[in-house]
Amino acid sequence: MDISYQTVKNILYNTKSREWFGTDYTMNLYRGCNLGCIYCDSRSDCYRIDNFDVVQAKKHSIQLLERELKRKKNGVIGFGSMSDPYNHLEKQTLITKEALTMIERYQFGAVLSTKSNMILRDIDILKKVNQHASLLVGFSITTTDDPLCKKIERNAPSASQRFEAMKVLSEQGIYTGTIMMPVIPFITSDKDNIMSIIQKTYASGGKFIYPWFALSLRDSQRHYFYQWLEKIFPGLKNTYQNTYKNNYLCYPRNHEILQDLFITECEKLGIKYKMGDIIASYQSKYDAGQLDLF
Ligand code: SF4
């Protein structure tokens, strides 16, 4: 695969709030993503990413990162809000790996969200980060049905592979769990799927599931989603159009019931699902370490 680069001036941005897993900074090392999720919100017009499936690496990103780590206050860096940090180009560029190495050197923390078991390649670096700073790895999982996963997350490793990776990380003491976003009406919004995600997260040592019981659809992203619906679920596009018209937020009809079942089951198993609780939980070890210094 040829590597295409995008020139950027900065790589690390302050977050407006620490709402997303307590991250202080956000960083996208890539532009576009090649994991092929049919519902991906990053295809929306507002992000202005042409040829979204053709990934570009950010040029000189590691040099830029080091410059910024030297002058910024220590904190937690979120990877991959607009592209998976372990998309297929990462096999060649290794920039996520190099960025983690740099983050470890400067003793920052990290939050990684991914659909790929390629993250296990970097387990030794993750373990080092975990020794001195807050670290969370969230596996993005929408279904436990691997054949369905292949249809809607076309180029991503299977859900089973993600759960296996979660188990390995958990066994190494890394705080990990599931980001269950979106819950896709008529496709992944059945009770059995939600219960199965909870059970498999629990069995894999996952400590949290952060859910969103809805799907967002807008402009060209909706168009792309509908094109794929016509190919893989003939007739479902009409159901969507009749149900949701031009709505941006599309809630499964049973979303309140699903949410109640989800909460009951997570509480039974001790799985955290509220953002505040997840942040407090994964950052507690580091906070305790900081307090020990005084
Ligand atoms: S992995 Fe994330 S960024 Fe990549 S296509 Fe899927 S939803 Fe979009």
Side-chain angles (χ1 to χ4, degrees):
M1 195 188 305
D2 289 338
I3 301 176
S4 159
Y5 287 96
Q6 184 199 17
T7 302
V8 292
K9 289 191 178 141
N10 298 301
I11 199 77
L12 200 60
Y13 294 90
N14 292 11
T15 53
K16 291 196 182 93
S17 69
R18 299 180 73 248
E19 281 171 12
W20 184 251
F21 292 104
T23 49
D24 304 285
Y25 308 103
T26 184
M27 176 172 70
N28 277 295
L29 298 166
Y30 294 99
R31 179 182 167 87
C33 185
N34 48 23
L35 296 193
C37 308
I38 66 169
Y39 51 78
C40 179
D41 179 69
S42 300
R43 294 178 186 279
S44 303
D45 292 348
C46 56
Y47 302 122
R48 292 183 287 181
I49 305 177
D50 298 330
N51 295 323
F52 182 80
D53 301 274
V54 180
V55 182
Q56 293 181 299
K58 305 271 176 84
K59 200 168 187 178
H60 304 311
S61 48
I62 303 306
Q63 292 93 322
L64 288 171
L65 177 61
E66 181 161 32
R67 186 189 72 187
E68 293 170 33
L69 291 178
K70 277 180 181 167
R71 64 188 186 197
K72 286 196 188 282
K73 190 168 168 278
N74 272 50
V76 178
I77 299 172
F79 283 61
S81 54
M82 301 281 295
S83 175
D84 196 297
Y86 291 97
N87 71 74
H88 296 298
L89 195 61
E90 170 63 18
K91 287 176 206 147
Q92 287 172 262
T93 65
L94 305 178
I95 56 175
T96 294
K97 184 187 185 92
E98 288 178 32
L100 281 170
T101 305
M102 194 64 72
I103 283 170
E104 197 275 322
R105 185 176 306 158
Y106 285 89
Q107 307 224 322
F108 279 62
V111 167
L112 294 110
S113 160
T114 184
K115 282 190 169 78
S116 179
N117 55 352
M118 198 198 307
I119 193 167
L120 294 181
R121 181 199 66 189
D122 297 340
I123 194 162
D124 290 342
I125 306 166
L126 293 169
K127 280 161 68 179
K128 286 185 189 166
V129 173
N130 201 34
Q131 281 171 6
H132 62 68
S134 300
L135 175 67
L136 176 147
V137 175
F139 286 91
S140 168
I141 297 172
T142 59
T143 175
T144 60
D145 177 341
D146 285 345
L148 175 60
C149 185
K150 192 75 203 154
K151 287 181 180 171
I152 62 176
E153 296 157 357
R154 297 174 301 111
N155 306 320
S158 67
S160 300
Q161 289 172 305
R162 292 174 226 167
F163 281 119
E164 282 161 19
M166 187 186 295
K167 189 161 193 288
V168 173
L169 294 183
S170 173
E171 285 170 352
Q172 294 297 322
I174 292 168
Y175 193 93
T176 181
T178 297
I179 301 174
M180 193 177 73
M181 302 172 71
V183 173
I184 309 167
F186 307 107
I187 299 176
T188 65
S189 60
D190 56 288
K191 178 191 159 200
D192 288 349
N193 181 48
I194 304 301
M195 291 298 124
S196 178
I197 289 176
I198 298 171
Q199 291 298 338
K200 291 201 172 177
T201 299
Y202 181 72
S204 307
K207 302 289 186 294
F208 72 92
I209 302 175
Y210 189 64
W212 189 48
F213 289 92
L215 168 72
S216 57
L217 288 180
R218 55 185 165 184
D219 47 63
S220 51
Q221 175 245 358
R222 176 192 282 120
H223 181 68
Y224 183 87
F225 178 69
Y226 281 176
Q227 277 183 330
W228 276 101
L229 281 196
E230 287 197 296
K231 282 186 202 160
I232 58 184
F233 303 110
L236 192 52
K237 175 184 165 186
N238 287 344
T239 307
Y240 261 80
Q241 287 177 321
N242 293 335
T243 308
Y244 299 115
K245 316 288 188 236
N246 282 323
N247 293 359
Y248 171 52
L249 297 178
C250 306
Y251 294 94
R253 285 185 183 137
N254 57 346
H255 73 275
E256 287 172 346
I257 297 170
L258 276 183
Q259 195 156 341
D260 287 348
L261 287 169
F262 169 83
I263 289 172
T264 304
E265 192 66 11
C266 285
E267 291 192 342
K268 198 167 89 188
L269 297 174
I271 292 177
K272 301 206 180 320
Y273 57 90
K274 292 179 190 163
M275 186 56 86
D277 292 343
I278 298 168
I279 295 170
S281 175
Y282 94 92
Q283 295 194 345
S284 61
K285 174 171 67 95
Y286 181 55
D287 290 344
Q290 290 288 85
L291 289 173
D292 287 347
L293 297 175
F294 297 97

